[in-house]
Amino acid sequence: MRDIAIISFAQTPAVRRIPEVNEVEMLMPAIHGALSQVDMTIDDIGFTCSGSTDYLAGVGFSFVSTLDGVGAWPPIQESHVEMDGAWALYEAWVKLQLGELDTALVYSYAKSSPGDLPMVLTRQLDPITVAPLWPDSVSLAALQARSLLDSGNYTEAQFAEVAARSRRSALDNPNAQLAWDRSAAELLGEDYHIAPLRKSDCAPITDGAACVILAAGDVARSKVKRPAWIRGIDHRVEPIHLGLRDLTVSESTRIAGEKAGVADGPIDVAELHAPFSHQELILRDALGLSSDVNINPSGGALSANPMMTAGLIRIGEVANRISAGDVNRGVAHATSGPCLQQNLVAVLEGEA
Amino acid sequence: MPEISLPESLQGVEAVRSVRIPARLDYEFTAGNASSRFLRGIQQKKIIGQRVPGGRVYVPPRGADPERGQATTEEVEVAQVGTVTSFCMVNVAFYGSSMELPYTSALILLDGADLSIMHLIQEIPANEVRIGMRVEAVWRDDEDIEPTLESIKWFRPTGEPDDTNVRIPGEDHGTGLGSWVGGVAPTEALVRNPRTGKGGH
Amino acid sequence: MGKERVAVVGIGQTKHQATRGDVSMAGLVREAAQRALDDAHMTWTDIDAVVIGKAPDFFEGVMMPELFLADALGATGKPMFRVHTAGSVGGSTAIVASQLIQAGLHERVLTVAFEKQSESEAMWALSLPIPFTPPLHAGAGGYFAPHIRSYIRRSKAPDHIGMLVALKDRQNGIKNPYAHLHEHEISFDSIKESMMLWDPIRYAETCPSSDGACALVLGSEKVADDAMAEGRQPAWIQGTAMRSEPTLSAERDTVLPLGGALCAADVYKQAGITNPRKDVDAVEMYVPFSWFEPMWLENLGFAEPGEGWKMTEQGATALDGDFPVNMSGGVLCTNPIGASGMLRFGEIAMQVRGTAGEHQVDGVRRGVGHAYGGGSQFFAMWVVGKDKP
């Protein structure tokens, strides 16, 4: 495959609610931040791709108005996916593989604050058999957590350790929404939110946007000292119906990780898109990550979870660490759908 | 595929063809900075646009310069009179509309603005509306003014002579930006790139 | 590195109608997908990846419906991708799918586009009042009618052109067994007498609202060569292109959008087309209101500016004309919005393969599929041909 790297990443600070600005106003700082970091404008970009969904803000064709934040004049080569921005990045990576264009701009955004997010997400479920029951996203995750406990593989204390470590790591992330230092034991003393999950096991609700710039080969090298090369990227899906899956494992993540080549070398860092603490444990197993891998140094989705964007942010966070020279090889993961239904895995590396 | 048949207990039972599942979601919508200022202007019976670098004025403003993709901040008041650039006569009762048929929905280029707004034309028989006709805003009574463009009830003719030279954006470039003259495709260089200043006439 | 060759080796579509109450959403997409697989002599297990597209989720009231459709589409354990680029989505979805093969990632990709507008209220979904935003006074027709009036003024086209397009497309649609509208009684006078909905657009010059799906199986060079060896002509993809521009810009021309022309120029260059009118044998273009035929003829370089309507008037675009347009009946006969673009792409591939049945045109070696969306601002096109590029 052609060598494609992430050369720039920008995100807006994650907050519970951005009441004053609309989506395009929220998005522009991320796009122009990513461009200006590498001294580029939209004229230097070959392909643009974005990810968003209409249901979060309740506005049809929301991506049409956010195109105003790009500067699509003269007209540009552009596409949009109704998926997390990590998949928009995948489309852009495929486009650059064709060898005709050297650069791509990828962005995604979501304002989850206008609606009641766990209720909005019920609209993803089977419209005839499940959605009419309005089972909220936290309750579905709790079913999965219960299965995991029942399997005997993990305990609530291990959930709490993930929750505590994520928020402690987030203290070093200026863009994080939830950052604090409390012990796992203290978290275990909390009441259940939706048993067996506690509030601390759940991601916050976040408004935010992010942008990544991709470049091929020498263009990437000319722009930054240490590009974060995409060595492998793959995504897989499973049925939405929880009864058709073993919820204690993530088969789609396992296949995607295998195809992306996670096991082809040592992993220094992993950013896993786990909106619930127990899901990080499932994902580690699916990717075969050893205990010495630094997981979610950004704080992960448990510290900031802008919908449609948290997956793209995982890729950007790993890329930043590689470009800074802190690590050499990392894995980034994005998820979509209830209980880890659809998963994307990317392996990033610095220059050998 | 294996042969599938209904269990005996279900045979003869009328099949369910569809179910009606009402769903309701409530949203608290954010207007955004630019729209908020525009709507506050409307409350004072003023029409506030935004000027983008390079001089174009957009009404209503959306906070972004659509050509550059940059945030815009400079506010300017535009006139409440303008020119009809195109229109259509509507004969179909449209969901959510209580207008008397037929009515005219027009693109109106307000003096001082560079892009038309869509609004209604009234106080003239629908079949007498023309491209180039000069029109002015008609506001609701003061006590009914709200922060919505619908506080302008409609536009009506000013009685001024028509502006027969009115053009829609892009039309100034020959017979349109995206037309092929002599079988030659138009290129990006046909239009001015707002970032580099290159291209265009 | 570089681009692998790719061809359409399977095409399927549903019977389109106002309400497909006999099938669920899953049943609808499977009906099209199964037909495409049968046409390609493949089964679900042969497929490496699935790319699905549709217009706004509010049309069916399901958020990201590809998630619940994943198993119905045979995607379990495979990559599944969802595209949404407004009305052009059917075209852009097929393009994204083709790129997975061009990039060398997959050999066989199933791509599906659908809309089941009867599941919700399409008019409601299109006119969901966006708070603080000026209302559209009359839906999509009310939005596009002023653009059409501008075209008529600019080109000095006579009034009857739109009616001629409607008559031609509705007559073509009678020959297409999958078309939603089969108006056997259609005549110039019946169109003329039909209600003027959004003057200058008459009822009979307007697309219907349909339930329907379209599916294509795309194959690598090897897959397509194998099909050819078995006597099944593939439709080779000779070029694909997409362009976007902002909705509301004082720089752009809403009648002849620059993005549309750049998209056409790009795709012709890839296919080696230097004289579009001469080098292209047939076109399926996205014409939801009749007047868009002459507008797109000019925008896509088939006619000089202001002259597109003359091609229509002279009968060049008729089924037996020298430049047939919308042989299938087009969007004027069938409009499941999210699928409409892929239907254009698939119908032109059928013409190239010689499998279009009653609406087949003789001797189509190379054809163009075209889709647009938004406020005439998103464009997707492909060129397919009998010949390997």
Side-chain angles (χ1 to χ4, degrees):
Chain A
M1 303 308 287
R2 191 181 188 205
D3 285 340
I4 310 291
I6 290 153
I7 60 165
S8 187
F9 166 56
Q11 58 183 312
T12 59
V15 294
R16 172 63 182 87
R17 178 186 295 266
I18 303 180
E20 63 280 7
V21 299
N22 62 21
E23 287 174 320
V24 66
E25 290 169 334
M26 177 179 78
L27 170 65
M28 281 187 284
I31 292 179
H32 297 291
L35 283 167
S36 64
Q37 281 168 24
V38 281
D39 196 25
M40 292 169 91
T41 72
I42 189 69
D43 297 315
D44 302 310
I45 297 295
F47 181 65
T48 299
C49 196
S50 62
S52 69
T53 177
D54 287 347
Y55 257 88
L56 294 171
V59 180
F61 299 106
S62 116
F63 69 92
V64 176
S65 37
T66 50
L67 187 61
D68 280 350
V70 174
W73 192 258
I76 60 171
Q77 301 199 41
E78 188 260 353
S79 185
H80 171 264
V81 299
E82 198 85 353
M83 307 179 86
D84 187 287
W87 278 267
L89 181 143
Y90 182 84
E91 181 177 334
W93 174 81
V94 171
K95 183 84 180 168
L96 296 188
Q97 287 302 329
L98 306 184
E100 292 160 346
L101 302 170
D102 293 328
T103 52
L105 179 83
V106 178
Y107 63 89
S108 59
Y109 61 89
K111 289 194 82 172
S112 298
S113 60
D116 178 353
L117 182 62
M119 284 297 121
V120 170
L121 289 175
T122 63
R123 300 303 93 194
Q124 288 184 336
L125 305 168
D126 186 304
I128 296 171
T129 60
V130 187
L133 305 172
W134 297 84
D136 68 274
S137 49
V138 184
S139 295
L140 295 181
L143 284 173
Q144 184 181 35
R146 174 67 69 201
S147 302
L148 195 61
L149 294 172
D150 289 350
S151 74
N153 294 339
Y154 290 102
T155 63
E156 287 180 42
Q158 285 169 301
F159 296 179
E161 277 166 27
V162 171
R165 192 207 65 236
S166 297
R167 276 53 174 258
R168 203 177 307 123
S169 299
L171 290 167
D172 296 328
N173 178 0
N175 294 308
Q177 178 183 351
L178 284 188
W180 33 252
D181 188 2
R182 290 162 62 197
S183 70
E186 192 184 335
L187 299 185
L188 277 175
E190 284 179 6
D191 290 339
Y192 287 123
H193 173 45
I194 296 176
L197 296 178
R198 296 172 171 81
K199 269 253 153 76
S200 56
D201 291 313
C202 305
I205 294 172
T206 310
D207 287 353
C211 182
V212 162
I213 295 172
L214 299 180
D218 288 343
V219 177
R221 288 184 196 97
S222 74
K223 280 291 175 190
V224 292
K225 224 162 63 198
R226 197 171 143 84
W229 300 103
I230 299 171
R231 294 298 186 214
I233 184 167
D234 193 90
H235 63 96
R236 303 280 151 165
V237 73
E238 295 175 61
I240 199 167
H241 296 277
L242 304 188
L244 292 175
R245 296 190 252 154
D246 178 351
L247 295 177
T248 66
V249 296
S250 179
E251 180 62 7
S252 49
T253 302
R254 187 192 64 75
I255 303 172
E258 195 180 294
K259 300 276 180 191
V262 172
D264 295 349
I267 296 289
D268 304 318
V269 65
E271 282 281 345
L272 307 179
H273 183 189
F276 299 94
S277 57
H278 69 277
Q279 292 180 340
E280 181 188 301
L281 302 169
I282 295 173
L283 293 168
R284 294 171 81 127
D285 288 346
L287 293 167
L289 300 179
S290 63
S291 56
D292 58 350
V293 175
N294 183 5
I295 300 211
N296 288 344
S298 70
L302 288 176
S303 297
N305 189 33
M307 300 298 292
M308 317 310 286
T309 307
L312 183 64
I313 290 174
R314 304 277 75 68
I315 299 175
E317 288 285 351
V318 172
N320 270 2
R321 280 177 170 74
I322 288 172
S323 291
D326 299 342
V327 298
N328 191 52
R329 191 164 186 270
V331 55
H333 160 268
T335 197
S336 177
C339 299
L340 304 173
Q341 185 199 350
Q342 186 177 26
N343 296 282
L344 177 145
V345 178
V347 174
L348 308 183
E349 271 180 27
E351 210 79 69
Chain B
M1 283 280 273
E3 195 61 32
I4 300 171
S5 60
L6 280 176
E8 205 162 315
S9 60
L10 291 178
Q11 284 175 12
V13 175
E14 193 188 348
V16 176
R17 288 289 177 201
S18 69
V19 283
R20 192 163 182 83
I21 303 163
R24 181 195 166 96
L25 293 167
D26 292 313
Y27 293 92
E28 273 180 44
F29 199 79
T30 301
N33 277 326
S35 297
S36 296
R37 288 197 287 270
F38 168 76
L39 294 168
R40 288 200 192 98
I42 290 285
Q43 268 180 308
Q44 299 161 31
K45 301 217 289 196
K46 288 180 179 172
I47 304 175
I48 308 289
Q50 278 187 338
R51 190 190 305 279
V52 306
R56 297 287 198 187
V57 173
Y58 283 107
V59 180
R62 298 183 312 284
D65 172 354
E67 289 98 35
R68 286 169 195 259
Q70 298 281 2
T72 49
T73 51
E74 187 193 343
E75 253 118 42
V76 284
E77 184 177 353
V78 302
Q80 306 196 0
V81 296
T83 306
V84 173
T85 60
S86 195
F87 64 93
C88 78
M89 209 177 4
V90 182
N91 285 301
V92 55
F94 185 68
Y95 180 81
S97 164
S98 52
M99 296 295 299
E100 196 177 312
L101 299 176
Y103 61 89
T104 304
S105 173
L107 290 168
I108 300 160
L109 189 61
L110 296 172
D111 293 357
D114 286 289
L115 191 66
S116 306
I117 60 168
M118 194 169 249
H119 218 299
L120 304 167
I121 306 283
Q122 298 273 284
E123 302 185 34
I124 177 175
N127 61 6
E128 289 178 21
V129 174
R130 307 169 299 275
I131 291 177
M133 195 171 73
R134 297 281 292 161
V135 292
E136 64 186 355
V138 179
W139 295 84
R140 288 179 183 165
D141 293 340
D142 282 355
E143 58 271 26
D144 297 330
I145 297 284
E146 288 169 29
T148 156
L149 194 57
E150 285 155 306
S151 288
I152 296 176
K153 289 193 289 185
W154 52 69
F155 282 75
R156 70 177 170 214
T158 62
E160 295 169 83
D162 286 3
D163 176 359
T164 49
N165 289 321
V166 69
R167 309 276 248 168
I168 67 164
E171 195 176 346
D172 291 334
H173 304 258
T175 50
L177 292 173
S179 55
W180 299 48
V181 180
V184 177
T187 68
E188 287 164 14
L190 188 69
V191 295
R192 201 180 71 91
N193 181 312
R195 292 164 296 275
T196 64
K198 289 181 188 151
H201 299 295
Chain C
M1 199 177 97
K3 268 162 87 170
E4 305 288 334
R5 293 188 175 95
V6 52
V8 182
V9 296
I11 304 171
Q13 61 183 298
T14 59
K15 168 67 184 145
H16 310 284
Q17 57 195 49
T19 302
R20 281 296 307 270
D22 58 322
V23 287
S24 63
M25 243 182 281
L28 189 78
V29 293
R30 277 185 75 90
E31 184 175 313
Q34 187 64 58
R35 284 177 181 156
L37 289 168
D38 290 347
D39 187 36
H41 291 209
M42 289 185 199
T43 65
W44 294 94
T45 52
D46 293 319
I47 296 299
D48 301 324
V50 180
V51 182
I52 183 166
K54 67 175 298 300
D57 294 355
F58 292 122
F59 275 147
E60 290 82 11
V62 181
M63 178 183 186
M64 299 156 77
E66 64 282 0
L67 291 170
F68 99 90
L69 293 171
D71 45 356
L73 288 165
T76 300
K78 295 175 183 175
M80 185 193 63
F81 204 86
R82 159 75 192 281
V83 181
H84 178 13
T85 61
S88 66
V89 65
S92 48
T93 302
I95 290 174
V96 170
S98 73
Q99 289 170 350
L100 297 177
I101 296 174
Q102 285 178 332
L105 294 166
H106 302 300
E107 295 275 322
R108 299 170 190 82
V109 175
L110 171 68
T111 183
V112 186
F114 80 100
E115 211 72 70
K116 204 159 188 296
Q117 283 162 234
S118 69
E119 298 268 325
S120 178
E121 302 282 342
M123 286 288 261
W124 169 81
L126 272 181
S127 60
L128 197 60
I130 301 174
F132 318 116
T133 304
L136 273 182
H137 296 293
Y143 179 83
F144 287 114
H147 300 172
I148 290 170
R149 184 180 299 277
S150 290
Y151 171 76
I152 295 171
R153 176 173 184 261
R154 228 191 259 186
S155 67
K156 302 181 178 65
D159 288 345
H160 62 262
I161 298 300
M163 293 182 272
L164 290 177
V165 173
L167 180 63
K168 168 188 69 93
D169 283 2
R170 293 277 157 75
Q171 285 177 335
N172 289 353
I174 294 169
K175 297 176 188 291
N176 175 0
Y178 298 104
H180 173 175
L181 297 183
H182 284 147
E183 297 194 337
H184 295 277
E185 308 301 317
I186 192 96
S187 69
F188 184 82
D189 287 338
S190 75
I191 295 168
K192 195 175 172 188
E193 296 307 314
S194 75
M195 192 178 174
M196 190 64 100
L197 292 185
W198 301 278
D199 191 343
I201 303 176
R202 288 174 180 78
Y203 174 74
E205 296 175 80
T206 304
C207 58
S209 169
S210 317
D211 284 358
C214 181
L216 307 174
V217 176
L218 306 181
S220 65
E221 181 171 11
K222 184 183 174 309
V223 170
D225 283 345
D226 289 350
M228 191 72 198
E230 290 172 18
R232 286 176 288 120
Q233 168 76 49
W236 292 96
I237 297 173
Q238 300 179 346
T240 64
M242 287 161 68
R243 286 294 184 285
S244 306
E245 62 186 52
T247 324
L248 295 167
S249 158
E251 304 289 333
R252 86 184 193 101
D253 179 5
T254 46
V255 177
L256 296 171
L258 182 58
L262 294 178
C263 186
D266 185 357
V267 81
Y268 298 158
K269 190 172 170 216
Q270 294 170 44
I273 292 169
T274 52
N275 181 341
R277 171 77 199 265
K278 238 179 86 234
D279 299 345
V280 173
D281 299 320
V283 181
E284 283 277 344
M285 58 171 71
Y286 203 110
V287 177
F289 302 104
S290 60
W291 280 95
F292 274 89
E293 175 174 298
M295 288 160 71
W296 294 143
L297 286 170
E298 295 170 29
N299 193 225
L300 305 185
F302 301 124
E304 290 289 313
E307 308 278 312
W309 60 270
K310 293 180 184 167
M311 284 178 70
T312 302
E313 189 174 51
Q314 288 156 7
T317 58
L319 203 54
D320 59 357
D322 71 349
F323 194 83
V325 173
N326 291 335
M327 299 67 71
S328 65
V331 180
L332 280 176
C333 291
T334 305
N335 189 32
I337 296 181
S340 288
M342 193 175 286
L343 286 166
R344 307 283 68 70
F345 280 40
E347 284 284 352
I348 197 64
M350 280 162 62
Q351 291 288 337
V352 162
R353 297 198 314 170
T355 57
E358 249 197 284
H359 61 284
Q360 178 70 45
V361 171
D362 284 342
V364 179
R365 287 210 77 77
R366 179 154 56 184
V368 168
H370 161 269
Y372 87 97
S376 297
Q377 64 183 118
F378 299 113
F379 304 92
M381 293 176 72
W382 79 9
V383 175
V384 285
K386 270 190 160 56
D387 303 315
K388 199 187 274 197

